[in-house]
């Protein structure tokens, strides 16, 4: 049940802990709710590792005060498949990342997948330039940039096909 002291995370309501008065959304997600999809990267909202959706819009959880999003809907990487899949299947973006071998260390993947899924929700047929622009604020140190771009374009292609 929504209150001024709760969050809807991955379609379930959670009371904000008392310590959340000083905590970021990322700290609450990881430390209190044990959701480890969003990662702590820079702590400044610049690398993208902590990306979540707030009311369907991609946002950097490391710079958002937890109380600032009380009563709102938060989606993490863990909640993404539930929005689009049945029977425990991966979200099409996640499956495309697997198929395109778009991961090495995996640290950036949370942000890349969440940003890509947000892009495809807004623009189901992006150009390569659209994908590059959308992901330009996400840092990947492993060098899988080309595979990541191909994964997003593959997901767009698959999501555009009738089932």
């Amino acid at each position: 049940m929504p209150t001024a002291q709760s969050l809807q995370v991955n379609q379930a309501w959670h009371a904000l802990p008392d310590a959340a008065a000083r905590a970021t959304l990322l700290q609450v997600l990881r430390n209190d709710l044990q959701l480890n999809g969003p990662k702590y990267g820079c702590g400044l909202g610049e690398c993208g590792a902590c990306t979540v959706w707030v009311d369907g819009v991609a946002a950097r959880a490391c710079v958002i005060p937890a109380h600032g999003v009380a009563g709102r809907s938060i989606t993490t990487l863990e909640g993404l498949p539930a929005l689009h899949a049945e029977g425990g299947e991966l979200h099409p973006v996640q499956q495309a990342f697997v198929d395109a071998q778009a991961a090495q260390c995996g640290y950036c993947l949370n942000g890349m997948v969440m940003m890509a899924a947000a892009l495809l929700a807004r623009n189901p047929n992006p150009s390569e330039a659209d994908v590059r622009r959308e992901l330009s604020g996400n840092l990947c140190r492993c060098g899988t940039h080309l595979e990541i771009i191909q994964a997003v374009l593959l997901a767009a292609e698959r999501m555009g096909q009738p089932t």
Side-chain angles (χ1 to χ4, degrees):
M1 183 67 70
T3 71
Q5 299 301 314
S6 64
L7 293 172
Q8 184 184 32
V9 179
N10 299 333
Q11 303 175 345
W13 286 97
H14 301 274
L16 281 169
D18 292 336
R22 295 174 309 281
T24 66
L25 176 59
L26 180 62
Q27 290 169 325
V28 169
L29 293 172
R30 290 184 61 83
N31 300 340
D32 297 303
L33 300 181
Q34 278 71 55
L35 295 170
N36 294 315
K39 305 286 188 250
Y40 180 87
C42 66
L44 301 170
E46 295 179 2
C47 73
C50 66
T51 303
V52 298
W53 292 353
V54 178
D55 294 334
V57 176
R60 308 298 170 116
C62 72
V63 294
I64 298 172
H67 276 337
V69 291
R72 299 181 66 189
S73 176
I74 310 300
T75 304
T76 68
L77 185 67
E78 293 88 349
L80 193 58
L83 298 178
H84 297 280
E86 294 179 22
E89 295 178 14
L90 294 175
H91 183 280
V93 172
Q94 292 169 310
Q95 188 62 55
F97 270 69
V98 171
D99 296 343
Q101 299 179 7
Q104 283 188 19
C105 82
Y107 210 82
C108 74
L109 282 185
N110 173 78
M112 295 290 190
V113 168
M114 295 302 287
M115 291 297 292
L119 168 65
L120 296 179
R122 289 189 325 273
N123 178 0
N125 190 25
S127 67
E128 182 175 326
D130 294 332
V131 174
R132 287 178 180 273
R133 187 173 35 259
E134 184 77 8
L135 300 181
S136 67
N138 289 63
L139 303 179
C140 171
R141 293 183 179 177
C142 296
T144 60
H145 297 96
L146 296 177
E147 289 85 356
I148 288 169
I149 292 165
Q150 292 307 309
V152 178
L153 294 172
L154 177 61
E157 178 183 321
R158 289 177 176 172
M159 291 171 75
Q161 296 176 359
T163 55

